[in-house]
Amino acid sequence: MHKKIVFLDVDFTLNTKGYTDLMGRSDVMDPKNVLPLKRVVEVCEAKMVVSSNWRKTEGWRNYVETALSEAGWSNPPIISRTYDFYDQRGKEIDYWLAEHLTEDYLIIDDIVDNLLEKQDGHIIEVNPQTGFSERNAFQIMERWGVRK
């Protein structure tokens, strides 16, 4: 059984348009967004499932892990990815959860209108202009009762 799972989006969550423009490439993640996520995932002892469109890339795991490593997070606890149901993220996550016994989960995303109503209490909505923030990290720690 998985104790805590984070379903992870990347674009506009771990990178922003401003950052990708600055770097001149789209396959990057901003350390400013990655490091708070790294800290909270480690403190909460969570595992990650990639729900981002990045999961559709050939060699997706290496692609995601390389970008995270470049942003300061080597060996992230990525255990899987969701299936592709034509951008129906809520159904993709629901299907993954039906196949994997999980105690609790959170969905980190900047677009929440494609999630299911029953997932409402599991959403950490990210501002696409700023990406994942300390505020989002605090929301996760509050949700999972962690005080560090």
Side-chain angles (χ1 to χ4, degrees):
M1 174 191 282
H2 301 291
K3 236 173 143 44
K4 297 173 185 158
I5 293 292
V6 169
F7 289 94
L8 182 64
D9 179 40
V10 174
D11 292 321
F12 303 102
T13 300
L14 295 183
N15 63 26
T16 60
K17 182 171 179 351
Y19 188 75
T20 57
D21 287 352
L22 176 69
M23 299 303 290
R25 23 188 294 234
S26 61
D27 64 340
V28 293
M29 297 182 198
D30 189 339
K32 171 179 71 70
N33 304 124
V34 170
L35 296 178
L37 178 64
K38 175 185 186 287
R39 182 176 41 80
V40 75
V41 165
E42 288 175 351
V43 166
C44 293
E45 299 179 355
K47 304 292 182 198
M48 296 191 302
V49 174
V50 178
S51 56
S52 169
N53 285 335
W54 285 39
R55 76 191 187 287
K56 299 176 188 179
T57 306
E58 187 174 333
W60 70 272
R61 183 183 299 273
N62 186 54
Y63 187 67
V64 172
E65 287 177 348
T66 297
L68 283 168
S69 181
E70 288 175 1
W73 191 358
S74 298
N75 301 313
I78 296 171
I79 60 166
S80 186
R81 64 179 170 171
T82 56
Y83 298 106
D84 184 11
F85 296 156
Y86 308 103
D87 295 322
Q88 297 179 46
R89 191 152 299 166
K91 289 181 182 178
E92 294 163 356
I93 290 169
D94 198 44
Y95 189 83
W96 192 94
L97 288 167
E99 287 193 331
H100 302 86
L101 196 54
T102 304
E103 190 175 297
D104 198 8
Y105 69 95
L106 291 172
I107 303 166
I108 299 173
D109 211 319
D110 65 307
I111 300 173
V112 299
D113 60 353
N114 59 2
L115 299 175
L116 305 179
E117 188 175 319
K118 69 181 182 177
Q119 296 166 340
D120 282 352
H122 299 271
I123 299 169
I124 302 296
E125 187 172 3
V126 174
N127 179 332
Q129 301 299 316
T130 58
F132 190 84
S133 66
E134 288 294 336
R135 180 182 170 275
N136 297 128
F138 180 76
Q139 289 174 300
I140 292 172
M141 292 186 357
E142 282 278 302
R143 172 70 160 72
W144 279 336
V146 175
R147 303 273 187 253
K148 283 192 179 184

